[in-house]
Amino acid sequence: MTSSSHAALARSFDRVAAEYAASRPTYPPELFDAVEELSERSLTGATVIDVGAGTGIGTRLLGERGARVTAVEPGAGMAAQFGAALPAVPLVRADGNALPFADGAADFVTYAQAWHWTDPARSVPEALRVLRPDGALAMWWNMPDLSHRWIAAQEARLAERCAGYRPPGFPQTVPGLLAHFAVRVRTRSIRWSRRITVDDRLRTLATHSFLAVMGAAADPVLRAEREELRTLFPDGTLDEPYVTNVTVAHRA
Ligand SMILES: C[S@@+](CC[C@H](N)C(=O)[O-])C[C@H]1O[C@@H](n2cnc3c(N)ncnc32)[C@H](O)[C@@H]1O
């Protein structure tokens, strides 16, 4: 992928920010238990910088765990949704490659579904700089659970029909990438699902970067997916299965 198409995908969320806020899944409570266990630190009372905060899905849950969160989001559309959802939470318009915070300012730097949009050569040293010496960098992704045949088949169709498609497996490379930065890395995977309508599944899909950049060209792709899902789930509801992969890195 060229750097300009990567940049276009990274900015695509602003076009679909309202739909993103309305349709994207949350994260399971076990994720935050895992962040605490793998980092050996409590989120309660912790100072957290949540980077790529988007519409605030991860930020809200970190706050509910008792963390004092400052959000970082580069995109205007996503930041507007964030401000509407979480007006009391401080939000800084910046990106993970250049964090506007002092050295040692945070107990945690978190990336919910966002670290892959940064340049790791810059974003990891930046996270380590703004972390206290015993702080932790935590990043996680809700991945489609490909052990379900209908999900694997849908991903295969999307890969064929969408030029900017990114395979859902790329976060599996995260521990290897982090190994270059002299950090200790721990990971965990959590399986879960949510019950939603076929229409909500299609709304969620439409907020993925590779479909969001297509504009009106995404319509026939989504119409074809509606037909497939209507056949598979005639009552109009489905269990949307996820594996949430979390990686926590500490200074070694
Ligand atoms: C998939 S969304 C995740 C939003 C939110 N954290 C969540 O859990 O739903 C990815 C977010 O990363 C942001 N982003 C893109 N490039 C970024 C960068 N270089 N640094 C930080 N965030 C970035 C996008 O604007 C978008 O809001």
Side-chain angles (χ1 to χ4, degrees), residues 4-16 75 78 117 209 213:
S4 63
S5 58
H6 185 269
L9 289 167
R11 284 194 305 270
S12 66
F13 299 102
D14 288 321
R15 298 187 187 186
V16 293
M78 295 298 260
W117 297 118
S209 55
V213 288

Side-chain angles (χ1 to χ4, degrees), residues 55-61 71 81-91:
T55 62
I57 297 172
T59 313
R60 178 194 297 278
L61 296 168
Q81 290 293 324
F82 186 103
L86 299 174
V89 178
L91 172 70

Side-chain angles (χ1 to χ4, degrees), residues 10 13 20 24 27 51-54 57-58 73-75 78 95-97 112-114 117-118:
F13 299 102
Y20 191 111
R24 279 287 188 117
Y27 301 105
V51 189
I57 297 172
E73 169 54 44
M78 295 298 260
D95 80 66
N97 299 322
Q113 213 117 323
W117 297 118
T118 70

Side-chain angles (χ1 to χ4, degrees), residues 34-42 108 134 136 186 248 250:
V35 168
E36 291 187 324
E37 285 165 30
L38 299 176
S39 67
E40 299 171 26
R41 287 198 74 107
S42 171
F108 288 91
D134 60 345
R186 292 173 170 170
V248 173
H250 279 279

Side-chain angles (χ1 to χ4, degrees), residues 2 5 63 77-78 105 113 118 146 157 161 164 206 227:
T2 64
S5 58
M78 295 298 260
Q113 213 117 323
T118 70
L146 299 176
R157 286 191 301 274
R161 294 172 192 171
E227 290 308 308

